Amino acid sequence: MTLSIRPARSGEAGLVLSFVKELAEYEKLLHEVIATEDEIAASLFGDNPRVFCDIAEWDGEPVGFALWFYTYSTFRGRHGIWLEDLFVRPGQRGRGIGKALMARLAQRCVAEDLPRLAWWVLNWNEPSRVFYRSIGAKAQDEWTVKRLEGEALAKLGAVG
């Protein structure tokens, strides 16, 4: 049995979207997924991609993904990586696939001299929280996530 990790390729937006939907279903958030295959394709493979995706394959079969983008820390004066999504199909868990996807991102950070790899995890998702602790991740409990969307975003955006 072999594991390989590679960048997503043009033409795989449907695969990426299927992973996004599987993750959303696991997180009980499938009702929030409105992204389309065309939007995923444009984001990943358009003229100026700002988001990137690694695909994990087990014996040549796609079994997981990590979708990420670059961030910037004014305190550090350098970029970092934000992991937006990490998912391994349930039947493939326990084989080190998630750890390998995380290691690939950590390797990128080291190679590019990026001081941070960061992400969110749902408070109720104890299996993921245990996994992240096992690789040395520290919770940033002193921060509270805030979000503007929908009507509130439109209202603030209309201020001129």
Side-chain angles (χ1 to χ4, degrees):
M1 302 291 179
T2 60
L3 171 64
S4 63
I5 298 175
R6 61 169 178 78
R9 297 185 283 249
S10 181
E12 291 186 317
L15 172 63
V16 173
L17 184 57
S18 72
F19 280 134
V20 168
K21 288 180 177 180
E22 289 176 62
L23 171 62
E25 184 172 15
Y26 172 76
E27 293 179 336
K28 301 170 184 66
L29 296 169
L30 185 58
H31 62 281
E32 292 190 21
V33 177
I34 60 171
T36 67
E37 191 172 327
D38 288 341
E39 290 168 330
I40 298 289
S43 296
L44 288 172
F45 311 113
D47 292 337
N48 187 23
R50 295 187 188 145
V51 65
F52 308 92
C53 183
D54 295 323
I55 302 290
E57 294 181 333
W58 188 265
D59 284 339
E61 181 69 28
V63 295
F65 83 128
L67 194 133
W68 58 274
F69 54 89
Y70 290 100
T71 60
Y72 186 78
S73 168
T74 55
F75 288 12
R76 293 290 190 98
R78 299 202 320 264
H79 289 279
I81 288 179
W82 182 267
L83 174 62
E84 181 66 18
D85 290 332
L86 176 72
F87 180 76
V88 175
R89 289 186 168 142
Q92 302 295 324
R93 293 180 186 157
R95 294 182 171 174
I97 297 167
K99 186 174 182 179
L101 284 163
M102 294 296 289
R104 176 63 60 94
L105 291 173
Q107 290 162 0
R108 179 178 294 279
C109 286
V110 170
E112 297 180 20
D113 196 27
L114 309 175
R116 290 185 180 154
L117 170 58
W119 62 93
W120 293 334
V121 61
L122 289 165
N123 290 334
W124 61 259
N125 191 346
E126 194 57 25
S128 292
R129 292 165 60 95
V130 167
F131 165 67
Y132 294 138
R133 282 191 298 270
S134 79
I135 62 171
K138 304 286 186 224
Q140 301 291 297
D141 295 333
E142 65 275 12
W143 295 91
T144 299
V145 176
K146 298 292 184 185
R147 178 184 294 171
L148 271 177
E149 61 185 357
E151 186 178 320
L153 179 63
K155 182 177 178 182
L156 183 61
V159 172

